[in-house]
Amino acid sequence: MPERTSVTLHFVERGAGMPVLALHGWTPDHRLMLGCLEPVFAKRPGYRRLYPDLPGMGKSPAPPRIAGSDDMLAAVEDFIDDTIGAEPFLLVGESYGGYLARALVRARPRQVLGLALICPPGRNLEKSERLVPERQVLRPDPELLASLDAPLAEEFADVAVVQTPETVRRFRDEILAGLHLADTAAMERIKQRWQLAEHPPEGDGQFDRPSLILTGRQDDSAGYVEQFALLPHYPRATYAVLDVAGHNLQIEQPALFDALMLEWLDRVAAESGREG
């Protein structure tokens, strides 16, 4: 048995039933996924949602032994063993969390009943190597930006494709709040060994269960083109490029996001013998 990392991840749990593990991206915390998914599961009872903070983010520590993505993955594996055990579960990963989720599917192909990837990196993990569109704001609101505190306005404007009071609220509460808690020293250390030893997609086999890959047409962080190359590894995947949406597509196209996630849950339920 692999040696445990001895890192205890802080997490928030909601609901009861089939487990759903939700992994956030690089530097936010569990609130990103909580904000993503709770509106979806409000329409679908019977699921136990697990929202951990990854090591070095939120309230989860990253001691020196967490020195790269392989250690991050091992900590998540330990979390699964402790909170889910051998029970089948659904897996959702956003951005860097999607990178780890793909590795988990490779490690536990029979335990994961379905996979959803939200703005995942494609073939290249390093942002400088990704094929991404030019920065574009499609729904600007200069008056709104002028009304915000300068630090919030700057960070929001750096990523927002849709500038509305609601997208500001969700960015502040679900994303920015976590960014301020990140252990920057630990994350710099981990970033030195950011790529997994068995780097997807080279290490991917085929995952033949219901999957969903969501990308933003204006996502200048992860892009939307390279993810298409993942499809041979996920023969049961729905692949969607959402217009008027950047790297935080769940807050910029919430109705479409919810609809696609609900349809994914329906497909998983139909094949796992559960009612949707």
Side-chain angles (χ1 to χ4, degrees), residues 12 102 107 111 115 119 122 124 131 146 151 162 167 176 190 192 205 217 222 233 237 266 269:
V12 169
R102 288 168 56 202
Q111 190 177 5
L115 172 68
C119 298
N124 294 299
L131 179 61
V162 177
T167 57
L176 188 61
I190 295 163
Q192 301 306 307
R217 185 66 175 80
H233 303 287
D266 288 344

Side-chain angles (χ1 to χ4, degrees), residues 153-164:
E154 181 179 358
E155 297 200 56
F156 176 69
D158 279 347
V159 297
V161 172
V162 177
Q163 299 175 354
T164 65

